[in-house]
Amino acid sequence: MQIFLQLVVSGISVGMIYGVIAFGYQLTFATSKTLNFGQGEALMTGALVGLTTINFLIGNHFGVSVAFILMIPVVLLFGACQGSVVEWLGVRQAIKTKSEAGWIMATIALGIIFKNLAENIWGRDALKFPSPLPEASLDIGGIRIQPMEVAIVIGALLMMLAVEVFNRTSIYGKAVVATSNDRDAAQLMGINTGRVITFSYALSSMTAALAGVLVAPVTLTGASMGAVLGLKAFAVAIIGGLSSGLGVVVGGLILGIVETLTGFYVSTGYKDVPGLVLLLIVLSVKPSGLFGKSAIKKV
């Protein structure tokens, strides 16, 4: 039982990373019914920009913990700029012309471009990201937990809570909600829906970049780190429901725990299989996702 609980705790931290990235998918889908298929690369570039920033600060005699805190605003700003560029180059025109294939191929192409740029700037080797917290595990009731695993869960929850509070309390957040509910009606009410969509892409990439610097200290950082995470997060978004912020979090936790349990009790070679099986089952039984709402499309 203790081993089982240990695996569940480890799966939760992994699942929260999936959930944060999937939350970014949900943000753009809500306002524009489009997705950034380069979301994994947003996580990767955020982690690498964070690595460069924190190493610079450490080199200028800042402590690792202080450097990590000072690095976060830089990463968030970079993520916002990257997301805005993706929307501007890959999505805006496709939305105007109502070309679904356009934004799909454009965001994939931009993701490949970002990966190639990262390989040329930082190289292809995996890099060590300094941890702001002690690497020694905490022993809580016989369950060993790394401090960064706790930080991942807390950081992910705070980020998603901040977005929810922003949407509920600020005027601009209410514009985002209005656009999500009915873009045409929001536009008729004087809301600049194009600007809202740009903002949603900026916010989406910000969440991915933050996820990158959270997960980087417990993994190795490199140009290839985002591809698998982005793909699994997309599966999580489908499982939980692209129309539900809560759904993507729950979907992430389910996938993270199931993967961890499968890797231990079955084989690490099969840990990716249950998530894909679950994805196929959900698509067969409830295509809108576990927490998603079916929509009627008028033609």
Side-chain angles (χ1 to χ4, degrees):
M1 187 62 181
Q2 186 172 340
I3 294 176
F4 176 80
L5 292 175
Q6 177 72 63
L7 294 171
V8 169
V9 169
S10 298
I12 288 174
S13 64
V14 175
M16 286 305 298
I17 291 298
Y18 294 158
V20 170
I21 306 171
F23 187 69
Y25 284 125
Q26 190 269 333
L27 288 172
T28 59
F29 185 80
T31 57
S32 64
K33 298 299 181 286
T34 63
L35 301 169
N36 178 12
F37 284 105
Q39 191 77 343
E41 281 65 37
L43 175 144
M44 173 268 297
T45 51
L48 288 171
V49 168
L51 177 63
T52 300
T53 304
I54 197 170
N55 283 338
F56 171 80
L57 292 171
I58 292 173
N60 283 275
H61 310 294
F62 285 89
V64 177
S65 299
V66 175
F68 191 89
I69 294 172
L70 294 176
M71 168 268 297
I72 289 178
V74 176
V75 170
L76 293 177
L77 178 61
F78 173 81
C81 293
Q82 184 183 28
S84 300
V85 168
V86 170
E87 190 276 334
W88 177 52
L89 292 177
V91 179
R92 185 175 301 179
Q93 191 60 35
I95 291 177
K96 288 181 180 178
T97 58
K98 298 183 179 180
S99 170
E100 292 191 2
W103 63 261
I104 292 173
M105 294 308 301
T107 55
I108 291 174
L110 286 168
I112 294 172
I113 290 171
F114 287 134
K115 182 180 179 182
N116 287 338
L117 285 172
E119 288 177 343
N120 283 282
I121 295 172
W122 287 278
R124 298 187 178 185
D125 295 333
L127 304 170
K128 175 67 175 174
F129 197 105
S131 176
L133 299 175
E135 296 185 4
S137 299
L138 303 173
D139 193 324
I140 303 175
I143 300 174
R144 303 187 69 82
I145 306 174
Q146 290 186 356
M148 272 310 300
E149 290 180 336
V150 178
I152 287 172
V153 175
I154 294 175
L157 289 174
L158 287 176
M159 183 278 299
M160 289 184 280
L161 179 62
V163 173
E164 187 65 21
V165 171
F166 173 81
N167 285 340
R168 289 178 180 272
T169 59
S170 69
I171 294 178
Y172 204 83
K174 291 176 181 178
V176 172
V177 174
T179 304
S180 301
N181 291 333
D182 191 324
R183 187 171 52 181
D184 293 333
Q187 194 167 15
L188 289 173
M189 294 298 292
I191 295 174
N192 189 334
T193 55
R195 188 175 298 173
V196 170
I197 292 172
T198 302
F199 176 77
S200 69
Y201 264 83
L203 192 59
S204 173
S205 289
M206 283 174 64
T207 61
L210 178 63
V213 297
L214 288 175
V215 73
V218 297
T219 63
L220 293 175
T221 309
S224 60
M225 69 178 293
V228 175
L229 288 173
L231 182 61
K232 290 184 177 180
F234 179 66
V236 163
I238 299 299
I239 292 170
L242 277 167
S243 60
S244 171
L246 174 64
V248 297
V249 177
V250 175
L253 293 175
I254 291 173
L255 184 58
I257 292 171
V258 168
E259 279 188 353
T260 306
L261 293 175
T262 303
F264 182 83
Y265 288 112
V266 183
S267 170
T268 54
Y270 289 101
K271 74 172 187 176
D272 295 331
V273 174
L276 297 175
V277 172
L278 180 60
L279 173 63
L280 293 174
I281 293 173
V282 171
L283 287 174
S284 300
V285 177
K286 198 172 185 294
S288 59
L290 296 176
F291 293 85
K293 295 179 181 179
S294 299
I296 298 174
K297 186 175 182 179
K298 298 179 180 180
V299 295

